[in-house]
């Protein structure tokens, strides 16, 4: 069991998480339960189930989940497992016009999760049996919430509501709590040979920008950034000097309606614990979902959103592609850093690291949060 | 080729091509034929097949088939 006492000390004296939190399979499993399943983790995008009846199977840390757009157009998440013999119900993303049918013995479930049919369960042509109580055998629903088009789940069903846990960021970014518009040409994935936490840690601090993203030095200098710090909730950075991307005819994406003047030149980037990285600007937002694959492998699912449907049309295609490549290049510039930190954590004498008391506050907050979640999990043992 | 062979071939093709409506058509028809012959067990078996595929595909006949099965004490 790792010792986390030094992680939850104040920034000036704290150490980072010990090496085993990045390289040890047992700790990875512990974090899966205490950090990811016990909190509101991001698993996918609502845009991937836009129409009633759309189903999207997602395996999150080995857990088979099914994102469904139900008849009320609400996103719901179920365990993607039949209540009969444990068969996985849906294996590919598609639209279902009627019920979800298990491919094994054809037990059928409505989009509301209710068990609708149990064919031949009482013998050939007899679809009922006194011991088969359909109202007790619906799909297991996983608590879910959609925020900024990201689908969050609390798999262990032990967290406070999403609105309660994340009330601060919901308030801080309420100006962006509007319909978001996406075109599939504005999604991409990156796979990194790194623990998922290193991607969070790198994202929430601006300290590395002058060295890892030198292209920003003249347009968005280090001194133009500020920390965003909300203890045990989220952390990140903001910039005072966002300037809109322009097309060849100087066209820009339409803005969100009703933004405060601050957003004319501001942008903010936060790590919403545990595993989603968000960015907001006057004319677009994006979300990066970190899918932990193993101790040293993470898949990053990126989706960029715009403020109006107009921005997703053909007229803006060139500018969208330009914006996508801009962000893809920025995120790719970070890969050698997170992979390098992963490699460095095999150094047996690395002690978790010494934080800059001035520049590493947002990163320390994430470490503190992770350590707190793990300690909570250990208390329950 | 007998009628049975033709229908069997149609069913296999429908499965292969994901043509669920045809499965509903065939099983519904055969189920009703069996019931007319008072072959309740096989009729309800075939109607159950039709019911499941009708449910899966959102076929409006699901309601009608379900009512028939309920009338024979085979569905709830």
């Amino acid at each position: 069991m790792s010792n986390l006492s030094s992680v939850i000390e104040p920034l000036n004296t704290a150490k980072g998480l010990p090496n085993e939190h990045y390289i040890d399979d047992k700790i990875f499993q512990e974090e899966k339960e205490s950090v990811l399943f016990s909190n509101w983790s991001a698993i996918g995008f609502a845009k991937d189930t836009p129409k009633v009846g759309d189903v999207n199977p997602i395996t999150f840390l080995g857990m088979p989940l099914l994102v469904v757009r139900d008849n009320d157009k609400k996103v719901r998440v179920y365990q993607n497992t039949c209540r009969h013999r444990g068969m996985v119900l849906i294996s590919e993303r598609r639209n279902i016009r009627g019920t979800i049918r298990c491919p094994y013995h054809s037990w059928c479930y409505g989009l509301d999760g209710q068990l609708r049919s149990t064919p031949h369960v009482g013998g050939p042509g007899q679809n009922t049996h006194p011991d088969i109580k359909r109202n007790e055998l619906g799909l297991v629903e996983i608590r879910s919430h959609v925020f900024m088009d990201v689908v969050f789940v609390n798999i262990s069903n032990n967290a406070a509501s999403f609105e309660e846990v994340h009330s601060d960021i919901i308030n801080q970014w309420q100006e962006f709590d509007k319909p978001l518009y996406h075109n599939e040409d504005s999604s991409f994935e990156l796979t990194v040979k790194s623990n998922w936490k290193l991607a969070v840690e790198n994202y929430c601090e601006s300290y590395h920008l002058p060295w890892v993203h030198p292209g920003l030095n003249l347009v968005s200098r280090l001194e133009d950034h500020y920390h965003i710090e909300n203890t045990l909730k989220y952390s990140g950075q903001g910039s005072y000097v966002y300037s809109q991307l322009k097309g060849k005819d100087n066209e820009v994406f339409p803005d969100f309606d009703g933004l405060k003047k601050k957003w004319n030149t501001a942008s903010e980037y936060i790590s919403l614990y545990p595993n989603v990285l968000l960015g907001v600007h006057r004319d677009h937002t994006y979300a990066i979902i970190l899918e932990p694959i193993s101790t040293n492998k993470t898949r990053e699912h990126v989706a960029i959103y715009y403020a109006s449907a107009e921005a997703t049309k053909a007229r803006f295609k060139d500018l969208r592609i330009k914006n996508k490549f801009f962000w893809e290049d920025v995120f790719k510039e970070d890969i050698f850093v997170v992979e390098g930190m992963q490699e460095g954590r095999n150094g047996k004498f690395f002690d978790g690291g010494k934080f800059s008391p001035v520049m590493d506050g947002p990163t320390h907050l994430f470490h503190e949060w992770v350590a707190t979640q793990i300690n909570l999990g250990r208390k329950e043992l | 080729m007998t009628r049975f062979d033709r229908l069997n071939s149609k069913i296999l093709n429908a499965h292969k091509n994901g043509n669920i409506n045809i499965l509903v058509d065939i099983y519904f028809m055969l189920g009703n034929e069996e019931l007319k012959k008072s072959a309740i067990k096989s009729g309800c078996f075939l109607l159950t097949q039709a019911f499941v595929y009708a449910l899966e595909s959102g076929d409006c006949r699901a309601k009608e088939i379900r009512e028939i099965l309920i009338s024979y004490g085979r569905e709830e």
Side-chain angles (χ1 to χ4, degrees):
Chain A
M1 198 178 280
S2 56
N3 183 348
L4 300 172
S5 56
S6 60
V7 180
I8 52 180
E9 283 193 20
L11 172 62
N12 295 48
T13 54
K15 291 266 169 56
L17 288 160
N19 281 355
E20 51 262 51
H21 285 263
Y22 301 85
I23 62 174
D24 187 309
D25 286 329
K26 282 185 189 154
I27 299 275
F28 184 81
Q29 291 304 319
E30 183 182 21
E31 289 186 354
K32 169 179 150 178
E33 294 296 336
S34 299
V35 178
L36 293 149
F37 282 6
S38 293
N39 288 288
W40 287 99
S41 291
I43 57 161
F45 301 107
K47 71 175 177 59
D48 293 334
T49 50
K51 296 197 292 278
V52 168
D54 283 348
V55 293
N56 183 24
I58 292 173
T59 301
F60 181 66
L61 287 154
M63 176 92 177
L65 300 171
L66 186 65
V67 182
V68 172
R69 183 75 68 168
D70 74 8
N71 288 316
D72 297 324
K73 299 183 180 172
K74 182 176 180 279
V75 169
R76 300 170 82 143
V77 179
Y78 301 107
Q79 180 171 263
N80 189 12
T81 304
C82 183
R83 294 295 303 274
H84 174 216
R85 296 288 299 128
M87 177 78 181
V88 161
L89 291 164
I90 300 288
S91 52
E92 60 186 21
R93 191 171 140 190
R94 62 191 169 96
N95 182 267
I96 287 178
R97 282 185 293 162
T99 55
I100 298 164
R101 181 177 70 84
C102 177
Y104 196 5
H105 301 92
S106 288
W107 285 28
C108 293
Y109 302 88
L111 299 179
D112 57 3
Q114 286 185 26
L115 182 58
R116 298 277 305 278
S117 176
T118 50
H120 314 308
V121 77
Q126 175 53 261
N127 307 322
T128 63
H129 186 279
D131 292 330
I132 301 294
K133 297 179 173 61
R134 291 186 189 174
N135 60 350
E136 295 174 3
L137 292 167
L139 292 180
V140 175
E141 184 158 10
I142 308 293
R143 286 174 88 200
S144 63
H145 186 92
V146 177
F147 175 62
M148 295 192 74
D149 204 55
V150 175
V151 180
F152 292 84
V153 292
N154 172 222
I155 291 174
S156 297
N157 194 27
N158 55 355
S161 71
F162 185 93
E163 293 95 331
E164 188 178 333
V165 173
H166 290 304
S167 58
D168 289 350
I169 191 63
I170 291 169
N171 285 334
Q172 184 174 331
W173 281 0
Q174 60 180 311
E175 292 165 276
F176 295 94
D177 188 12
K178 293 175 177 157
L180 299 172
Y181 300 88
H182 180 78
N183 185 303
E184 275 311 304
D185 62 20
S186 298
S187 287
F188 57 94
E189 288 184 9
L190 299 170
T191 301
V192 295
K193 290 178 280 187
S194 154
N195 187 279
W196 65 277
K197 297 189 297 301
L198 291 170
V200 177
E201 295 164 25
N202 175 66
Y203 186 79
C204 61
E205 52 95 340
S206 57
Y207 190 13
H208 71 288
L209 298 183
W211 317 107
V212 177
H213 308 290
L216 296 177
N217 277 344
L218 297 181
V219 292
S220 178
R221 296 161 301 177
L222 186 55
E223 69 207 57
D224 298 322
H225 291 79
Y226 55 92
H227 297 338
I228 298 171
E229 296 174 307
N230 193 325
T231 302
L232 297 180
K233 289 189 176 168
Y234 57 89
S235 58
Q237 49 168 310
S239 169
Y240 298 113
V241 293
Y242 172 68
S243 59
Q244 287 183 285
L245 198 65
K246 289 188 168 69
K248 61 177 187 268
D249 298 321
N250 272 338
E251 73 274 23
V252 293
F253 292 119
D255 288 334
F256 285 97
D257 287 334
L259 292 182
K260 288 190 197 116
K261 201 176 167 190
K262 154 192 169 176
W263 294 106
N264 285 349
T265 57
S267 57
E268 289 188 342
Y269 310 92
I270 63 149
S271 300
L272 192 61
Y273 309 157
N275 69 326
V276 61
L277 316 178
L278 299 167
V280 295
H281 317 80
R282 59 187 285 178
D283 53 1
H284 72 286
T285 69
Y286 65 73
I288 307 171
I289 294 173
L290 302 172
E291 180 192 358
I293 306 291
S294 64
T295 54
N296 59 0
K297 188 175 177 186
T298 301
R299 197 168 291 125
E300 302 183 354
H301 304 264
V302 185
I304 302 170
Y305 296 89
Y306 293 95
S308 75
E310 182 63 20
T312 65
K313 301 277 166 59
R315 185 164 87 82
F316 281 101
K317 181 167 185 181
D318 289 347
L319 195 55
R320 280 197 311 275
I321 299 301
K322 190 175 174 183
N323 197 29
K324 176 193 162 187
F325 282 136
F326 170 79
W327 285 116
E328 197 169 358
D329 286 346
V330 170
F331 301 149
K332 281 180 175 172
E333 285 174 344
D334 286 313
I335 291 178
F336 89 95
V337 187
V338 295
E339 292 187 348
M341 286 194 287
Q342 180 68 29
E343 197 180 338
R345 273 160 176 74
N346 289 298
K348 63 187 290 184
F349 303 116
F350 181 68
D351 61 357
K354 177 67 184 166
F355 292 118
S356 157
V358 176
M359 301 304 293
D360 283 325
T363 304
H364 171 250
L365 285 185
F366 176 64
H367 282 238
E368 182 187 35
W369 180 81
V370 170
T372 302
Q373 306 314 305
I374 292 169
N375 283 337
L376 283 172
R378 288 176 181 172
K379 269 187 201 163
E380 288 171 8
L381 290 177
Chain B
M1 188 183 262
T2 65
R3 181 180 182 238
F4 174 84
D5 290 335
R6 281 197 305 277
L7 289 174
N8 196 40
S9 174
K10 268 190 171 180
I11 286 172
L12 293 177
N13 277 333
H15 273 292
K16 195 172 161 187
N17 301 322
N19 200 335
I20 297 177
N21 286 343
I22 287 183
L23 294 174
V24 181
D25 292 345
I26 295 172
Y27 285 125
F28 195 16
M29 176 186 75
L30 292 176
N32 281 328
E33 287 177 8
E34 290 295 293
L35 290 183
K36 275 183 191 156
K37 290 189 282 182
S38 298
I40 308 300
K41 192 170 180 180
S42 60
C44 288
F45 169 81
L46 291 161
L47 286 179
T48 296
Q49 297 295 111
F51 179 50
V52 164
Y53 290 118
L55 272 181
E56 181 185 19
S57 59
D59 190 315
C60 60
R61 287 174 290 182
K63 190 177 173 210
E64 180 187 350
I65 301 168
R66 178 168 171 265
E67 281 166 5
I68 297 171
L69 288 167
I70 288 172
S71 71
Y72 286 94
R74 304 302 179 110
E75 184 53 70
E76 61 183 62

